[in-house]
Amino acid sequence: MSEQPHILVVDDDREIRDLTARYLSRHGLRVRCAEDGREMRRILDDWSIDLIILDLMLPGEDGLTLCRSLRATSKIPIIMVTAMGEEIDRIVGLEMGADDYVAKPFNPRELLARIKAVLRRAENISASSPDDSDQPGLHIFEGWRLDLDSRELMSPQDVLVSLSAGEYDLLAAFVTHPQRLLTRDQLLDLARGREAQPFDRAIDVQVSRLRRKIEHDPATPLLIKTVRSGGYIFTPKVTRKS
């Protein structure tokens, strides 16, 4: 990452874009702005961006759609911004792959603090924590096959199983760290390096949804075991093929 992180602000409100860009620039960040998804993609094609601040309510493709599209091809950290502050919006943003979440109207100092925290977390993970880019290929467990190159999950019956971005990130963390106790904080780190505070219950929600897709009986899980006051253990032996 460069000495001055490069931030992309995507918001259709010109006043908010300009105010945010000026504040972040005064605090040592390089900033580009886009008013919609089309302009966002053009900037991403032309510039190296370290983090995206992405408004949920955009004309044309909304922020969730853009977040899902970005997560399919990129690991650029994303902070979602919306006027709605309900918990369901935070969870949906997480499922699409957002790294953090702030609600309008937000304090610029809080946004700056979250940007620094997400960038710091992403840099630490890149330097020290294995992820799916470090362990590409096919991961096989109990007849299931998770392909970390194509991001596809096949069932033992050779059926393609659809996963949200959050479910995929969580399963990728499990298959690359099998038979190990992983705390919720560790899972947050491994699954895109999210800040734990705004998504304090999100890992439990994602585990519940993932169990419904891969467990024979989600009410009595055998693959993803809960450790009380500890976290979770992915119990199967995992075989990796290049």
Side-chain angles (χ1 to χ4, degrees), residues 204-223:
D204 296 330
V205 173
Q206 295 285 20
V207 167
S208 177
R209 294 180 178 180
L210 187 57
R211 280 171 169 163
R212 290 200 290 267
K213 294 189 175 181
I214 68 173
E215 296 277 6
H216 177 70
D217 180 5
T220 310
L222 299 177
L223 303 180

Side-chain angles (χ1 to χ4, degrees), residues 55-191:
D55 188 37
L56 179 65
M57 304 300 291
L58 292 171
E61 294 179 279
D62 64 21
L64 291 177
T65 301
L66 293 173
C67 185
R68 184 192 300 114
S69 176
L70 285 166
R71 272 295 162 261
T73 59
S74 170
K75 293 183 179 180
I76 298 174
I78 298 170
I79 296 178
M80 293 291 295
V81 180
T82 178
M84 297 178 290
E86 298 297 326
E87 182 177 5
I88 185 63
D89 298 307
R90 298 196 294 271
I91 293 173
V92 171
L94 173 66
E95 290 179 339
M96 295 301 103
D99 296 272
D100 203 347
Y101 180 102
V102 293
K104 294 179 180 177
F106 55 83
N107 186 317
R109 291 181 62 185
E110 178 187 359
L111 178 62
L112 179 62
R114 291 185 179 276
I115 289 171
K116 291 180 177 179
V118 171
L119 289 174
R120 184 168 58 249
R121 184 73 62 88
E123 190 170 14
N124 289 341
I125 292 171
S126 176
S128 62
S129 297
D131 60 15
D132 58 7
S133 65
D134 297 318
Q135 302 189 44
L138 197 63
H139 288 64
I140 303 170
F141 61 94
E142 298 294 324
W144 292 85
R145 304 187 301 281
L146 181 67
D147 191 328
L148 297 185
D149 294 317
S150 63
R151 299 174 65 91
E152 291 182 342
L153 175 66
M154 296 293 291
S155 76
Q157 294 76 35
D158 291 326
V159 176
L160 182 64
V161 177
S162 175
L163 296 175
S164 70
E167 291 164 352
Y168 168 82
D169 289 342
L170 184 60
L171 184 56
F174 278 133
V175 300
T176 54
H177 301 78
Q179 301 176 335
R180 286 175 49 186
L181 173 62
L182 296 174
T183 67
R184 289 170 178 81
D185 285 344
Q186 287 173 321
L187 287 168
L188 284 164
D189 287 346
L190 293 166

